[in-house]
């Protein structure tokens, strides 16, 4: 989903705008007194939301590494998710000093594939046409969070409704365990 589509969806929710605002109009809307306050710092609120979403459904990326790889080389690195050798065998590893990846039984000069949890952020330079690399179900929740956070000073009831919808969607992503209805046997005395 494009960043601009997320912003437009949030604006439509906040202003109950049924009109057809286009992505190309976002720059113009930044000068409109009705929208300016919301659009000026919206990327901070988007990032706040993305952090919450990635706690539930991590953004996984991969890179090629060797033994003694410096994890700070990937600026968006959060934590190692998994590690495989060239044949697809899972490798054991540990992290030395919080930054150096050490691969157990590593062969000299062998290249490994490291999957890692990543941070993702938008900035003031993120264009409306930028496609966010997050799952669609995550992107669909961002406008609800934006409307809930940004509109709370204007219409607390509407903002609360949107935030409740966001929280319900977030809970849906968590995949709660089914509720247990009864207990059949506690100690099993025979």
């Amino acid at each position: 989903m494009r960043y601009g589509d997320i912003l437009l969806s949030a604006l439509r929710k906040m202003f109950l705008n049924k009109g057809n605002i286009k992505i190309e109009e976002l720059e113009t809307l930044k000068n409109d007194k009705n929208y300016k306050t919301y659009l000026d710092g919206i990327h901070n609120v988007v990032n706040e939301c993305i952090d919450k979403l990635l706690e539930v459904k991590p953004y996984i990326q991969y890179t090629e590494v060797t033994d003694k790889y410096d994890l700070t080389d990937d600026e968006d690195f959060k934590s190692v998710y998994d590690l495989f050798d060239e044949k697809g065998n899972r490798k054991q590893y540990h992290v030395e000093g919080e930054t150096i990846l050490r691969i157990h039984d590593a062969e000299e000069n062998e290249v490994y594939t490291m999957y890692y949890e990543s941070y993702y952020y938008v900035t003031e330079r993120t264009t409306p046409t930028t496609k966010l690399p997050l799952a669609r179900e995550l992107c669909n929740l961002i406008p609800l969070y934006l409307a809930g956070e940004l509109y709370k000073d204007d219409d607390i009831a509407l903002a609360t409704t949107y935030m409740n919808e966001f929280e319900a969607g977030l809970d849906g992503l968590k995949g709660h365990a089914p509720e247990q209805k009864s207990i059949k046997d506690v100690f099993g005395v025979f």
Side-chain angles (χ1 to χ4, degrees):
M1 183 176 284
R2 294 180 302 177
Y3 183 51
D5 293 323
I6 291 170
L7 299 181
L8 290 176
S9 180
L11 291 175
R12 287 184 189 114
K13 288 180 182 312
M14 292 186 321
F15 296 104
L16 302 174
N17 189 334
K18 307 243 186 295
N20 192 13
I21 306 171
K22 294 181 174 52
I23 285 180
E24 298 79 27
E25 298 174 46
L26 279 170
E27 278 305 311
T28 307
L29 291 177
K30 284 184 178 179
N31 297 322
D32 183 317
K33 67 178 181 173
N34 294 323
Y35 297 97
K36 182 177 178 34
T37 306
Y38 304 103
L39 290 174
D40 278 349
I42 202 166
H43 61 277
N44 293 327
V45 183
V46 171
N47 289 331
E48 186 179 297
C49 179
I50 289 173
D51 282 346
K52 290 178 183 295
L53 294 170
L54 294 183
E55 287 176 17
V56 174
K57 189 168 183 171
Y59 175 44
I60 306 296
Q61 295 195 82
Y62 67 92
T63 191
E64 292 185 342
V65 299
T66 58
D67 189 33
K68 300 180 185 174
Y69 180 77
D70 187 349
L71 296 170
T72 60
D73 287 349
D74 295 305
E75 64 183 41
D76 55 356
F77 175 83
K78 186 174 181 182
S79 66
V80 177
Y81 188 75
D82 220 335
L83 187 71
F84 296 93
D85 65 15
E86 293 172 337
K87 296 176 185 170
N89 299 316
R90 181 172 276 126
K91 297 298 289 182
Q92 297 294 316
Y93 62 89
H94 68 276
V95 178
E96 242 175 44
E98 297 184 21
T99 60
I100 304 300
L101 178 71
R102 295 303 310 258
I103 302 167
H104 301 190
D105 303 322
E107 298 290 327
E108 191 172 331
N109 298 324
E110 186 172 357
V111 177
Y112 302 89
T113 303
M114 176 183 71
Y115 292 86
Y116 63 98
E117 285 186 43
S118 175
Y119 294 106
Y120 183 79
Y121 296 109
V122 297
T123 67
E124 292 175 346
R125 294 180 306 281
T126 303
T127 66
T129 56
T130 300
K131 190 169 180 163
L132 299 186
L134 305 174
R136 186 168 197 79
E137 61 268 18
L138 298 180
C139 289
N140 288 337
L141 291 176
I142 297 173
L144 293 169
Y145 187 85
L146 293 176
E149 271 300 306
L150 296 174
Y151 214 53
K152 62 187 173 191
D153 290 336
D154 299 306
D155 187 339
I156 190 69
L158 188 58
T160 301
T161 299
Y162 289 137
M163 195 55 79
N164 288 341
E165 287 179 28
F166 170 79
E167 292 294 338
L170 193 62
D171 283 345
L173 290 176
K174 291 177 184 176
H176 295 300
E179 184 179 325
Q180 186 171 344
K181 301 286 184 203
S182 63
I183 299 173
K184 291 184 179 180
D185 191 1
V186 177
F187 294 102
V189 178
F190 297 100

